[in-house]
Amino acid sequence: MATSMDVDRTPLDQPAALHELPQVSEPSIIHTGIPLSNGAQPREPFREIPVKVHIRRPDRDSWVYVGRATVSLDTTGHTSQVVVRSTSTDKILTVFGESSELQAEKRGNFVVVGCIEGPRVVSWSLNALNSSETLRLLACIELACYRCKQAVADPRSHHRSRRRIERVIKEDRRKRHRRRQEQETMIDLFSKQDLNGAEDGP
């Protein structure tokens, strides 16, 4: 009786020990000490950008050399600002941030930044080493000065603000061109008067 019962058993009825799966060794996990919370990767430190700095003050048409400086991107929470610091004195020359009213343009290896200060426009010229560094500099300024909160909360006001900045800087450029043309006209007149006087003789 017992023998027939053993013969009729199927493989599924055999003891669990006979059907154990082979053990698979799990790969060992090496802990690097870097926190991986929420899958966020550690942020690389910003590499400073060396530049030569010129400034054009309000109501002036010529650039004045300031000196060599380094540009860094300081980030606090979700806000950042671009800091231009003198290489020789370690003094902060200017700061560009989200509250700045400015327009940045790339011209060769220069980034020209027109800043609105009340009714006046102060222009900064930052000369980087090469085109790659110039593009990185321009991207940093645009990133730090973009008003994300205003663009999301009030797009129309954000658009009007950008249009006003463009209009003020364009008007300042027009005034400078007009002054330069007037100066050239005066120089031509004086030169012609001198030539006429020399031809007439004493």
Side-chain angles (χ1 to χ4, degrees):
M1 184 75 176
T3 304
S4 62
M5 292 179 62
D6 292 339
V7 173
D8 295 335
R9 279 186 180 179
T10 63
L12 296 175
D13 298 327
Q14 297 296 325
L18 298 178
H19 299 281
E20 291 181 353
L21 295 174
Q23 296 292 329
V24 179
S25 59
E26 297 181 357
S28 58
I29 300 175
I30 301 175
H31 297 280
T32 59
I34 300 175
L36 300 177
S37 59
N38 299 328
Q41 296 295 327
R43 179 177 296 175
E44 296 182 359
F46 179 81
R47 181 165 50 87
E48 293 183 341
I49 304 174
V51 294
K52 294 179 182 178
V53 183
H54 291 75
I55 186 173
R56 184 172 57 207
R57 303 190 183 279
D59 301 328
R60 299 291 178 90
D61 298 330
S62 59
W63 292 95
V64 177
Y65 180 65
V66 178
R68 295 180 180 271
T70 55
V71 177
S72 60
L73 184 66
D74 295 350
T75 304
T76 304
H78 296 288
T79 61
S80 57
Q81 61 181 6
V82 173
V83 180
V84 183
R85 191 184 300 271
S86 171
T87 303
S88 58
T89 63
D90 203 38
K91 178 183 177 182
I92 295 177
L93 301 177
T94 186
V95 177
F96 307 132
E98 190 173 339
S99 60
S100 304
E101 294 186 322
L102 58 80
Q103 184 182 54
E105 299 175 303
K106 180 181 180 297
R107 300 178 186 173
N109 287 346
F110 293 83
V111 174
V112 178
V113 185
C115 303
I116 300 176
E117 298 181 359
R120 308 183 305 170
V121 176
V122 179
S123 298
W124 294 89
S125 174
L126 308 177
N127 181 17
L129 296 175
N130 50 51
S131 181
S132 176
E133 292 289 85
T134 305
L135 289 173
R136 195 163 73 93
L137 174 60
L138 179 62
C140 291
I141 295 174
E142 291 182 342
L143 175 65
C145 299
Y146 187 75
R147 300 179 178 181
C148 301
K149 295 179 181 179
Q150 186 187 41
V152 174
D154 192 354
R156 294 183 62 183
S157 177
H158 176 73
H159 181 69
R160 285 197 301 268
S161 176
R162 292 182 66 89
R163 291 292 299 273
R164 187 185 68 84
I165 293 172
E166 293 175 0
R167 186 172 61 254
V168 171
I169 292 178
K170 186 179 294 184
E171 180 62 25
D172 178 75
R173 185 180 298 137
R174 189 180 294 112
K175 288 179 179 179
R176 283 189 287 103
H177 289 333
R178 190 183 303 121
R179 285 197 302 267
R180 189 177 298 120
Q181 289 176 352
E182 291 175 352
Q183 290 176 358
E184 291 175 355
T185 302
M186 294 295 292
I187 291 173
D188 290 340
L189 289 174
F190 281 121
S191 62
K192 289 177 180 179
Q193 287 179 358
D194 293 340
L195 289 173
N196 292 332
E199 291 176 356
D200 294 340

